[in-house]
Structure formats: structure tokens, C-alpha cells
Amino acid sequence: MKRTLLHAVAIVWLVLLSVTVNAQGEGFAPVRNAIRGGSSKELAQHFGSTVELSFDGDKQSYSATQAEFVMKDFFAKNSPAGFDFVHYGGSNEGTPYAVGKYVSKSGAYRMFVKMKSAQGNLVIDTIDFTKE
């Protein structure tokens, strides 16, 4: 009896965990699609009023408009050959983030995207590219 109850609890826990991971991933779907397409314009639709962009440790904060131009330049120099998020998570405060792998003809990058809540919506707060 105890073993059956333990199995039932474990199954329920795994189902809830998978639903949470899928829900986190769904919030990043439009961001993933914009990055896959190399579309700075589409990506900028998900920017907060300011965005921190980092390329190999060189961090800078930009307005949403400036960040769009920086990403346009990045995509022009490093057009996407492949991209996908490989991990989704959230901080203790509930701030969602995702880690992905961005592949271009000039090399591969590990990519970190952190969202934040702004006026009831999730917007991109940080994008970090690190060349592998």
C-alpha cells in the first residue's frame, strides 16, 4: 500500500513538473522564433524599455530602439544557422530565464535570455551571448 501511494505521488509530481517546464518554454516561443529567423524587428517587440545586451562579457544597457539596431547588426554579422533553447528556469522571485545555443556560420554561442514583468507582461530584460 505504501509503495503504491509513493508511486502515485511520484507520478503526480513528475506530471506537474513537466507542465511547469512546458509553460515556461511557451513564454519564450515568440522570442525563439524571432532569433531563429534573425529578425531584430520581431525580437524588439519583446524588449522592455531598456535591455542589457552582452557579447562575450562586454555588457551595455540600451533603450529598446537602440537594442534593436545592435541585434540587427549582430544578426547581419552572425546570421542564424540554428537556434534552440536547451534549458528553462526561474529565479526564487519568479523571474523566468532560458539558456540556448545559437549557431551561425562564424561560430556557436551560448545564449542567456532573462525576462522581467513590466505592466503585467513579460519582456526581455537581458540577452547574453558567449562564444563557445
Side-chain angles (χ1 to χ4, degrees):
M1 177 71 176
K2 287 183 182 179
R3 183 176 256 183
T4 304
L5 181 61
L6 182 61
H7 282 125
V9 169
I11 289 171
V12 169
W13 183 78
L14 288 172
V15 167
L16 291 174
L17 181 63
S18 68
V19 168
T20 301
V21 169
N22 281 339
Q24 288 175 341
E26 288 173 15
F28 282 93
V31 173
R32 180 188 63 233
N33 294 339
I35 294 167
R36 278 183 180 167
S39 175
S40 59
K41 185 176 183 176
E42 244 182 86
L43 187 61
Q45 293 175 1
H46 306 284
F47 287 166
S49 57
T50 61
V51 181
E52 184 176 277
L53 298 179
S54 176
F55 300 93
D56 289 324
D58 183 20
K59 289 183 182 181
Q60 196 160 348
S61 188
Y62 298 95
S63 71
T65 304
Q66 290 172 319
E68 180 180 353
F69 286 111
V70 171
M71 289 305 304
K72 183 177 183 176
D73 185 54
F74 177 81
F75 288 143
K77 292 177 182 174
N78 304 280
S79 62
F83 174 74
D84 212 348
F85 286 119
V86 295
H87 175 75
Y88 300 98
S91 70
N92 291 339
E93 294 80 29
T95 303
Y97 65 85
V99 178
K101 182 163 184 161
Y102 182 89
V103 179
S104 73
K105 291 178 183 174
S106 63
Y109 293 84
R110 184 172 21 99
M111 189 176 176
F112 173 79
V113 178
K114 182 177 82 173
M115 307 285 263
K116 71 178 180 181
S117 183
Q119 300 173 356
N121 296 317
L122 283 177
V123 295
I124 296 174
D125 180 56
T126 304
I127 299 177
D128 183 2
F129 287 91
T130 305
K131 194 156 190 165
E132 294 184 327

